Amino acid sequence: MDQDELHILIADDHPLFRSALKQALAGRLEAVWEEADSADSLEAKLKLRQPDLVLLDLEMPGSHGYSTLIHLRSHFPAVPVVVISAHEDPTTVAKALSYDCQGFIPKSSDPDQLAEALQIVLDGDTYLPSNMAELAEPSFEANDIGAKLAELTPQQYRVLQMFAEGMLNKQIAYDLGVSEATIKAHATAIFRKLGVRNRTQAVIALQGLEMEKKVL
């Protein structure tokens, strides 16, 4: 199997939904699909192979509220997680974001929305439906960014600069002579250290610091 193939893992306990989701995205997103129907089966699959993306239902067997999401972000930080849920209320969405998911997709989304959302996340940003966009506003204070930026390693800072240049993970990996998985791991560390959720917010933080320097 080609190691460059896109691997997406659907974690949902309803086989009909998993099948419908794959069918809806057929022809819109080229991927190798894997499936898990419980928290335990999801972890077992992740230990065998870490996919490029996990689509997570919050209500699988073995999950307790947001516990599976929290566990994934803690133990598999390089794997982006998108919550896909029938619950679309602002509280659910805000809590999912606070536990560091990379996106929230309502199960009522049409196939084109689904494909667009997944591509946005795969490109390194967070996806939210337009009517929920305000929930993704940055939560950092600009005057804290200088100290947070100092925590980045030289390689992480270089990756952040390349984010600001609009480069994709694949381009950055090629330029730095490393794998895309390494770039994703750097990105995760950058987001954690800066206290942001995605590359857009990281770039805003960097640009905010540059603006402060100009003012001073």
Side-chain angles (χ1 to χ4, degrees):
M1 186 175 291
D2 190 338
Q3 63 179 359
D4 292 330
E5 286 183 309
L6 182 66
H7 286 252
I8 299 178
L9 199 165
I10 305 172
D12 189 288
D13 62 326
H14 292 93
L16 290 178
F17 175 76
R18 298 196 304 269
S19 177
L21 182 60
K22 290 189 294 182
Q23 185 175 359
L25 292 169
R28 292 179 172 85
L29 189 67
E30 291 291 331
V32 175
W33 299 93
E34 299 181 50
E35 301 178 25
D37 59 5
S38 67
D40 287 344
S41 65
L42 171 59
E43 182 162 6
K45 286 184 177 291
L46 287 171
K47 287 180 178 178
L48 289 174
R49 178 192 178 94
Q50 294 190 21
D52 297 290
L53 180 66
V54 171
L55 301 180
L56 177 67
D57 180 17
L58 296 173
E59 299 184 317
M60 292 190 302
S63 294
H64 303 277
Y66 300 87
S67 63
T68 300
L69 173 60
I70 295 168
H71 177 78
L72 286 180
R73 302 309 299 139
S74 175
H75 295 277
F76 303 96
V79 179
V81 180
V82 172
V83 171
I84 184 161
S85 176
H87 299 285
E88 305 174 21
D89 59 283
T91 299
T92 299
V93 179
K95 283 187 176 180
L97 287 172
S98 73
Y99 293 128
D100 204 26
C101 71
Q102 277 69 52
F104 189 99
I105 303 175
K107 285 189 174 181
S108 59
S109 300
D110 64 48
D112 287 335
Q113 285 178 305
L114 284 168
E116 177 189 8
L118 298 192
Q119 192 58 61
I120 286 172
V121 173
L122 289 167
D123 286 342
D125 278 324
T126 296
Y127 174 82
L128 287 177
S130 57
N131 63 328
M132 302 177 184
E134 70 279 359
L135 297 175
E137 288 300 313
S139 60
F140 56 81
E141 294 293 332
N143 58 4
D144 291 335
I145 293 302
K148 292 177 179 179
L149 199 65
E151 297 178 14
L152 300 182
T153 67
Q155 188 80 324
Q156 289 166 357
Y157 184 67
R158 178 63 184 134
V159 170
L160 176 58
Q161 290 177 311
M162 296 170 94
F163 285 168
E165 294 168 12
M167 296 177 66
L168 301 178
N169 288 350
K170 182 174 293 187
Q171 296 172 309
I172 297 172
Y174 179 83
D175 279 9
L176 297 183
V178 298
S179 68
E180 280 193 72
T182 297
I183 299 304
K184 290 177 182 178
H186 280 319
T188 298
I190 291 166
F191 301 162
R192 184 182 69 249
K193 290 179 179 180
L194 295 185
V196 299
R197 285 191 282 265
N198 55 55
R199 68 159 64 198
T200 299
Q201 293 181 2
V203 169
I204 290 172
L206 179 63
Q207 291 173 340
L209 185 64
E210 290 172 349
M211 289 171 62
E212 282 190 344
K213 287 181 179 178
K214 290 177 182 177
V215 172
L216 295 173

